């Protein structure tokens, strides 16, 4: 019987079709790596691994030839995921490899020595954590309010107006909320006559100091006068008598000036202190300067 000239092409199985798709995607990934586009190459490597995984799932279990192809496809899956991991690791690649490794670990025979390369590659991809168990629903709170008895009237939602006395403050008050009174800050108590007392104290102190200086000058003047007489400066007139005389006159003028200034300051200071004391007891006391052609001083008016 003669043979036909053109034999019909062999029909490919579903596993072979998906394996061919994986080979094509893997080749495209290699070309993209040579061009320097590693991110796109990683996507093609991932597509090749998923195509090999689909081819592996389409094989029949138990047949001898299928067992050999299972080993071959598993090795191609490991090679495709490894190439994608070396090129560029994207979130989509990480999710694809982790989910497939998790499914593969649950398959029977996954621990065979023929799949050692695939098991090693899966160690680079962490398994997705199982979702947490749902939290138990909280128990419904028991109602503590007693149920209305048959004799008690049930609320109907209607508004009941009760007649009664009305507070006058509510009807006659201004509309709107009333602001509460603001707290008052206590003012610092002022002492009347404090400035006069301070000024009088300073003047009194200066006056007393001036009188002390005048007293010391008078004492020194007396010592010089006694020395002037002791050295017989009025009759003999030694050379140093002129110096003693000049120094004695200087202390005399100083004492006179200090007595005048000290007396005025002491009088003014005493007056100011007295007025300050009286002003603390009676605020009607006033102090004013008095200036006339024949008088210069302070005039105190008030009730003493």
């Amino acid at each position: 019987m003669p043979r036909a000239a053109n034999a019909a092409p062999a029909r490919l199985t579903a596993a072979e079709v998906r394996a061919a798709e994986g080979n094509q995607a893997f080749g495209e990934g290699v070309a993209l790596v040579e061009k320097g586009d590693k991110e796109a190459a990683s996507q093609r490597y991932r597509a090749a691994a998923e195509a090999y995984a689909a081819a592996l799932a389409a094989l029949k279990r138990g047949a001898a030839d299928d067992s050999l192809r299972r080993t071959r496809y598993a090795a191609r899956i490991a090679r495709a995921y490894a190439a994608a991991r070396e090129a560029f690791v994207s979130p989509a690649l990480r999710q694809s490899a982790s989910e497939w490794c998790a499914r593969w670990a649950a398959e029977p025979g996954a621990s065979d020595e023929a799949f050692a390369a695939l098991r090693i590659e899966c160690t680079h991809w962490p398994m997705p954590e199982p979702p947490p168990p749902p939290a138990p629903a909280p128990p419904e709170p028991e109602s503590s309010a007693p149920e209305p008895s048959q004799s008690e009237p049930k609320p109907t939602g209607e508004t009941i107006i009760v007649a009664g006395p009305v507070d006058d403050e509510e009807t006659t008050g201004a509309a709107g909320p009333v602001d509460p009174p603001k707290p008052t800050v206590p003012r610092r108590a002022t002492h009347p006559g404090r400035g006069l007392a301070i000024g009088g104290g300073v003047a009194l102190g200066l006056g007393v100091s001036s009188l002390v200086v005048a007293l010391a000058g008078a004492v020194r003047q007396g010592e010089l006068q006694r020395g002037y007489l002791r050295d017989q400066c009025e009759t003999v007139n030694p050379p140093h008598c002129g110096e003693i005389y000049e120094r004695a006159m200087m202390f005399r003028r100083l004492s006179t000036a200090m007595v005048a200034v000290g007396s005025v300051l002491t009088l003014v200071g005493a007056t100011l202190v007295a007025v300050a004391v009286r002003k603390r007891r009676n605020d009607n006391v006033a102090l004013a300067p008095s200036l006339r052609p024949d008088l210069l001083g302070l005039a105190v008016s008030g009730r003493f």
Side-chain angles (χ1 to χ4, degrees):
M1 184 175 179
R3 298 180 58 184
N6 295 326
R11 187 176 182 181
L12 298 178
T13 62
E16 292 174 345
V17 171
R18 300 309 303 272
E21 295 175 356
N23 293 335
Q24 181 180 358
F26 193 89
E28 294 173 356
V30 173
L32 290 172
V33 169
E34 293 177 354
K35 294 180 179 180
D37 193 354
K38 293 187 177 181
E39 185 174 356
S42 176
Q43 296 178 1
R44 300 311 300 157
Y45 286 142
R46 175 171 59 87
E50 293 174 353
Y52 291 142
L56 181 62
L59 292 177
K60 296 180 181 179
R61 300 181 184 278
D65 54 346
D66 287 349
S67 298
L68 293 176
R69 278 195 262 183
R70 282 171 60 85
T71 304
R72 188 185 313 139
Y73 292 161
R76 292 181 182 179
I77 293 171
R79 184 183 61 174
Y81 276 131
R85 175 170 50 82
E86 294 177 358
F88 181 79
V89 179
S90 62
L93 173 64
R94 187 180 294 107
Q95 182 179 0
S96 174
S98 300
E99 292 179 355
W100 191 88
C101 288
R103 290 195 304 268
W104 174 252
E107 290 287 335
S111 59
D112 295 346
E113 291 296 331
F115 308 115
L118 186 56
R119 288 197 305 272
I120 293 175
E121 178 60 27
C122 284
T123 58
H124 297 282
W125 307 101
M127 300 294 179
E129 298 182 359
E140 297 181 358
E142 298 180 358
S143 178
S144 59
E147 297 181 358
S149 60
Q150 298 295 334
S151 60
E152 296 180 355
K154 296 182 180 180
T156 59
E158 298 179 356
T159 304
I160 301 175
I161 301 176
V162 180
V166 180
D167 192 1
D168 293 339
E169 294 181 357
E170 296 180 358
T171 58
T172 59
V178 179
D179 295 336
K182 297 182 180 180
T184 57
V185 180
R187 299 181 62 182
R188 185 176 179 182
T190 57
H191 301 285
R194 184 177 181 180
L196 294 176
I198 295 174
V202 173
L204 193 60
L206 292 176
V208 172
S209 301
S210 300
L211 293 177
V212 171
V213 173
L215 178 60
V219 171
R220 182 58 180 163
Q221 178 189 356
E223 293 177 354
L224 292 173
Q225 288 179 353
R226 287 191 294 273
Y228 186 82
L229 296 175
R230 184 178 59 251
D231 293 342
Q232 300 179 358
C233 291
E234 293 181 352
T235 57
V236 181
N237 195 12
H240 64 279
C241 288
E243 181 180 356
I244 295 176
Y245 179 80
E246 292 295 334
R247 292 181 63 186
M249 293 302 296
M250 180 188 67
F251 279 107
R252 181 178 179 180
R253 290 191 293 268
L254 176 63
S255 299
T256 304
M258 287 295 103
V259 167
V261 174
S263 301
V264 173
L265 290 177
T266 303
L267 179 60
V268 172
T271 303
L272 292 177
V273 172
V275 170
V277 173
R278 298 299 299 179
K279 191 173 182 60
R280 180 171 296 184
R281 299 178 183 177
N282 184 8
D283 292 341
N284 294 327
V285 179
L287 181 66
S290 179
L291 179 60
R292 291 187 301 181
D294 57 345
L295 177 64
L296 176 63
L298 295 174
V300 180
S301 61
R303 185 176 180 181
F304 295 92

